[in-house]
Amino acid sequence: MAGLQCTPTDGITAPQVILQDDFAAYRRGNLRYTVRLTPEAIVYVVVGSKQERTLALADVLGCHTSVSLRRKPTQANQAAFLCIYSYPLKRKLLSGSVRTRVCTSFRVDRFDNYEQNCELAEKWRVAVRCLLAGHTVTADTDLRPSLLPSRPTLLVLLNPFGGQGKAKQYFDDQVLPMMGEADVSISVVTTEYSGHAFDVVQTTDLSSWGGIVVVSGDGLLYEVVNGLMSRPDWEQAIKIPLGILPAGSGNGLCYSINYALGEPFEEDRMFHSTFVLLKATMKGHTRPLDLMSVDTASQRRYAFLSFQWGFSADVDIESERYRYLGGSRFLFGSLHNLMKLRVYRGKLSFLPVEGVDALKQARQVLSQNKVDVKPRSLSHSSSAVTINGRRDDARMRTRSVSAMNGFNYISTDNEPLETPSQESTSLDAQLMSFSTENGVHHTNSEGHVNGNMNTVYEATTADDMVGKMDGKDKHYKNGDSDFIGASVSTNQNNSKSSQPCTAGGNPPNHVYGPPSPLLPPLDQPVPANWVTIDTDFVTMIIQSISHISEGYFSSPCSSFDDGVLFLSFLKSGVSRRQMLKFMGKMAEGTQVFDFGSDGGYVCCKAFRVEPVTPPGLMTLDGEKIHYGPVQGQVHHGMINLIMPND
Ligand SMILES: Nc1ncnc2c1ncn2[C@@H]1O[C@H](COP(=O)(O)OP(=O)(O)OP(=O)(O)O)[C@@H](O)[C@H]1O
């Protein structure tokens, strides 16, 4: 129905209609709809009635036709089918909103002939897919199949031991079906040892992939980033779009993304994060993310999340033995460490960003956070915050507590603080022991189109995957059709026994990367325009995004590509009671390191930490690094983060 226009009513210009047809309901052929496609939505109304229903394209992940269902027409039934997969937000009874999957199917039966009905259904599919990819489609567009956007191809790195060890289960049950609906092509590598992801990205031909997605916690992405930066072609390599799906215990980056977009996360985080990731993937959207280069005496590393020393680093590493608790491990770790609250003597130096009152801005963000903001669809605009004169348009969402849920204020005495003991610092030496099955066999039988999308993935060996990486994906087979969906190859470890993970593949010390002009050599004094604090610290976090872990809103002023770091610290003198209260409030998103002279929250571009306290723990993105003098600086927007940017 080329050239159709809706009549403007009441002075409001109706959206342009790209396609309009009469279809029957999927199961009830006598119920007929008039269906319209506009650049923003699919609108359908029962013929003869006025009650419209709308599927906003911002909520739609994909569209398939019976061509892909390979339904055999009968003489009596020459209809084709059109299925639209959408994930609208539904308001929950008590609080917040969640997305739910809705599959809307129409019977395309305008013609007496199956081929013609298929052709019409395909025309709709082409139009919807083009719109989902962000292409301009009008009523005059010739909607031939060659117009279909090419499938995005992703390399997926899955850590079966991240978080509670459920990455593979979440991936099979939730992620794969959605990737199928979105027509995304993937190859899956299941990591077999710590450092595996580093090795893979260091050696693979990146031109085979449109992006790399980790299904794990922040630690695996940290490996990927450092693997990319260890390549001679690092400058090009680090530009490959990077995405993350939350199967770790902290999930700081993933939480920060969903928070910034106002997307739900507390409930069914994998489901919601997959939706967000796929919406961005389909449009080829990325957003720049700052990178920190961090040098110790012996090595350089890159981080996108945080550097930590003191209480929070100890909690992160020492709570790894509670990994089976998921995000709650940090709560238990915090309580444990609170009992023996220690101080860490050292010198903190930083290059401040002039004119930014980070505490003042944080207070503003937090006070707005107390106002309940209704989560919205991805396409909506949001409020803005100014940092360094820049607008951060996708932020300032109200989130409720998650990881620290159940955190109760427990009264403790104001006891004197201890210095680190050998016993406590040696906790990190405990090896994680995993007993999860190491082999990979991807199967899935999820009720999707027609409630029967039995999916079996063909597997290749790890050698095939890592050694060749030739991008020749295997297409998965559908039990009853050649349903167009994700093409998948996986590495498969055929070992039947449960095996402990092996450590290995230690990354080399030398990595490439940009110069750090703000940093003097580590053995030289810092420049005169730096600020130095020489004291006993309780904790120190230097971060570039808002959350260091789920619900832990430690840097309200941070945004992904502001080109600055935010430094939070607490000095000794803070009591356990204050700490406990503070942790609870930070988890609620209502407080930052606002402790008067006992703490600070500042905006900086570079930092140096020189510990005096004997061996302890320092972390980068939650992973342990060499303990000793360390310094770092921010590199503006070096990573392309897969994330909607409209
Ligand atoms: N097969 C494996 N066996 C052992 N360790 C692995 C394996 N694959 C990856 N790893 C390591 O597991 C560590 C933890 O992974 P990750 O950070 O992704 O999860 P997490 O620590 O639970 O989550 P988060 O960092 O968000 O708190 C990383 O250091 C990674 O190198």
Side-chain angles (χ1 to χ4, degrees):
M1 301 258 164
L4 259 180
Q5 292 285 327
C6 269
T7 321
T9 52
D10 301 334
I12 302 165
T13 310
Q16 183 206 23
V17 176
I18 298 166
L19 290 171
Q20 178 168 317
D21 277 289
D22 280 1
F23 296 144
Y26 167 56
R27 289 189 193 281
R28 295 162 59 197
N30 54 348
L31 184 62
R32 300 201 66 79
Y33 298 104
T34 298
V35 188
R36 287 197 313 272
L37 176 67
T38 75
E40 302 288 331
I42 296 163
V43 183
Y44 58 103
V45 52
V46 175
V47 172
S49 104
K50 284 194 175 153
Q51 208 186 350
E52 283 188 347
R53 292 196 193 159
T54 301
L55 303 173
L57 289 182
D59 296 329
V60 173
L61 261 197
C63 173
H64 289 147
T65 65
S66 58
V67 179
S68 52
L69 294 174
R70 208 201 279 155
R71 181 196 144 271
K72 287 209 174 70
T74 61
Q75 197 150 28
N77 186 357
Q78 295 288 313
F81 293 91
L82 181 69
C83 310
I84 295 131
Y85 313 108
S86 63
Y87 293 77
L89 281 169
K90 291 259 159 67
R91 187 104 186 126
K92 285 186 69 188
L93 196 58
L94 293 176
S95 65
S97 300
V98 290
R99 291 193 178 274
T100 48
R101 178 180 180 276
V102 178
C103 177
T104 309
S105 303
F106 298 107
R107 183 190 292 256
V108 181
D109 57 358
R110 191 197 317 166
F111 304 100
D112 296 334
N113 173 302
Y114 177 65
E115 276 69 34
Q116 280 180 294
N117 285 327
C118 281
E119 212 173 292
L120 180 60
E122 275 297 286
K123 200 169 155 183
W124 273 76
R125 184 167 84 98
V126 170
V128 172
R129 286 281 317 283
C130 285
L131 290 170
L132 294 180
H135 301 173
T136 304
V137 182
T138 68
D140 298 323
T141 306
D142 179 10
L143 295 165
R144 46 187 200 286
S146 61
L147 222 59
L148 266 181
S150 58
R151 287 171 176 224
T153 54
L154 298 176
L155 170 61
V156 175
L157 296 162
L158 183 149
N159 174 5
F161 301 115
Q164 290 172 298
K166 292 188 178 161
K168 201 174 94 56
Q169 183 191 327
Y170 290 144
F171 188 71
D172 286 348
D173 293 351
Q174 297 185 304
V175 182
L176 273 170
M178 291 171 82
M179 284 187 162
E181 291 173 359
D183 292 322
V184 171
S185 258
I186 57 168
S187 287
V188 184
V189 175
T190 303
T191 56
E192 289 167 3
Y193 54 88
S194 176
H196 191 175
F198 182 101
D199 293 344
V200 169
V201 302
Q202 192 188 36
T203 50
T204 189
D205 174 8
L206 294 174
S207 65
S208 306
W209 316 108
I212 300 175
V213 172
V214 301
V215 184
S216 190
D218 299 303
L220 205 69
L221 190 61
Y222 170 74
E223 263 190 39
V224 167
V225 166
N226 282 281
L228 294 170
M229 293 303 284
S230 70
R231 296 168 60 114
D233 64 344
W234 63 271
E235 228 160 334
Q236 182 68 23
I238 196 66
K239 289 293 158 218
I240 189 164
L242 299 178
I244 186 161
L245 292 176
S249 23
N251 305 313
L253 178 58
C254 210
Y255 194 97
S256 298
I257 293 172
N258 282 45
Y259 174 84
L261 295 167
E263 280 290 308
F265 194 87
E266 282 74 21
E267 208 171 294
D268 226 341
R269 66 200 56 160
M270 185 60 90
F271 174 77
H272 289 104
S273 305
T274 304
F275 175 80
V276 168
L277 180 101
L278 289 175
K279 285 302 281 183
T281 302
M282 291 167 82
K283 283 196 173 166
H285 278 186
T286 57
R287 188 168 168 171
L289 172 65
D290 293 340
L291 193 61
M292 235 192 284
S293 62
V294 177
D295 299 317
T296 63
S298 59
Q299 57 184 200
R300 165 172 277 212
R301 288 285 179 264
Y302 293 93
F304 55 87
L305 182 65
S306 65
F307 163 83
Q308 297 182 62
W309 180 42
F311 183 85
S312 60
D314 292 356
V315 168
D316 206 340
I317 299 300
E318 291 170 10
S319 69
E320 282 199 348
R321 60 197 157 136
Y322 306 126
R323 193 174 281 272
Y324 60 91
L325 294 174
S328 306
R329 86 177 213 212
F330 299 116
L331 170 61
F332 281 88
S334 298
L335 293 175
H336 180 73
N337 276 272
L338 209 56
M339 294 302 147
K340 51 178 184 185
L341 195 60
R342 298 166 239 164
V343 294
Y344 307 79
R345 175 122 210 126
K347 220 193 269 183
L348 165 66
S349 308
F350 57 91
L351 173 62
V353 176
E354 298 298 330
V356 177
D357 186 341
L359 259 183
K360 190 174 161 198
Q361 292 202 21
R363 285 188 204 115
Q364 280 168 4
V365 173
L366 295 178
S367 67
Q368 286 180 53
N369 241 4
K370 285 180 186 152
V371 183
D372 188 22
V373 181
K374 201 169 136 191
R376 81 261 183 290
S377 162
L378 279 176
S379 60
H380 294 183
S381 64
S382 61
S383 53
V385 132
T386 306
I387 291 173
N388 287 345
R390 300 161 60 95
R391 270 170 63 91
D392 180 12
D393 277 338
R395 213 136 55 81
M396 300 281 299
R397 301 271 70 82
T398 295
R399 317 298 324 149
S400 58
V401 189
S402 69
M404 303 291 272
N405 254 348
F407 196 100
N408 294 316
Y409 297 95
I410 303 164
S411 179
T412 55
D413 296 324
N414 298 349
E415 290 161 27
L417 306 183
E418 297 164 21
T419 50
S421 69
Q422 203 54 44
E423 179 255 332
S424 55
T425 51
S426 67
L427 281 174
D428 66 280
Q430 292 189 15
L431 288 176
M432 293 179 283
S433 70
F434 300 107
S435 59
T436 313
E437 191 184 43
N438 219 4
V440 178
H441 180 65
H442 287 282
T443 57
N444 179 25
S445 54
E446 180 79 3
H448 268 242
V449 176
N450 291 341
N452 185 19
M453 178 178 159
N454 298 315
T455 314
V456 179
Y457 307 100
E458 292 190 358
T460 58
T461 64
D463 285 349
D464 280 348
M465 191 60 241
V466 180
K468 294 182 195 147
M469 288 282 185
D470 59 3
K472 287 178 193 145
D473 306 336
K474 303 269 195 287
H475 285 250
Y476 74 72
K477 291 175 181 163
N478 185 303
D480 61 357
S481 72
D482 64 345
F483 196 87
I484 296 170
S487 57
V488 176
S489 63
T490 69
N491 65 328
Q492 184 173 29
N493 180 340
N494 288 322
S495 160
K496 290 201 177 92
S497 63
S498 298
Q499 291 186 354
C501 65
T502 52
N506 282 337
N509 282 344
H510 178 72
V511 285
Y512 298 87
S516 302
L518 300 177
L519 302 175
L522 200 48
D523 56 2
Q524 303 287 310
V526 294
N529 58 343
W530 286 44
V531 174
T532 296
I533 303 169
D534 189 350
T535 189
D536 288 331
F537 294 94
V538 170
T539 196
M540 189 183 294
I541 307 173
I542 297 165
Q543 67 190 97
S544 48
I545 55 177
S546 59
H547 293 74
I548 49 167
S549 65
E550 287 176 29
Y552 204 68
F553 193 31
S554 43
S555 183
C557 292
S558 287
S559 66
F560 298 98
D561 62 337
D562 49 15
V564 293
L565 302 170
F566 283 88
L567 157 63
S568 309
F569 61 90
L570 274 182
K571 296 190 213 164
S572 69
V574 177
S575 68
R576 288 187 174 88
R577 184 195 295 268
Q578 281 175 303
M579 275 289 281
L580 199 59
K581 204 167 161 188
F582 166 65
M583 280 158 39
K585 284 194 169 181
M586 183 176 275
E588 280 170 2
T590 53
Q591 190 173 345
V592 274
F593 285 71
D594 199 350
F595 279 87
S597 59
D598 283 337
Y601 178 63
V602 293
C603 185
C604 66
K605 286 221 161 214
F607 67 91
R608 177 183 286 181
V609 176
E610 296 163 276
V612 173
T613 296
L617 295 169
M618 286 178 162
T619 63
L620 259 192
D621 291 359
E623 304 297 312
K624 215 170 104 179
I625 56 165
H626 182 78
Y627 187 83
V630 58
Q631 62 180 11
Q633 82 155 74
V634 65
H635 300 274
H636 191 190
M638 275 190 65
I639 292 176
N640 282 325
L641 183 61
I642 301 176
M643 173 177 174
N645 62 17
D646 51 0

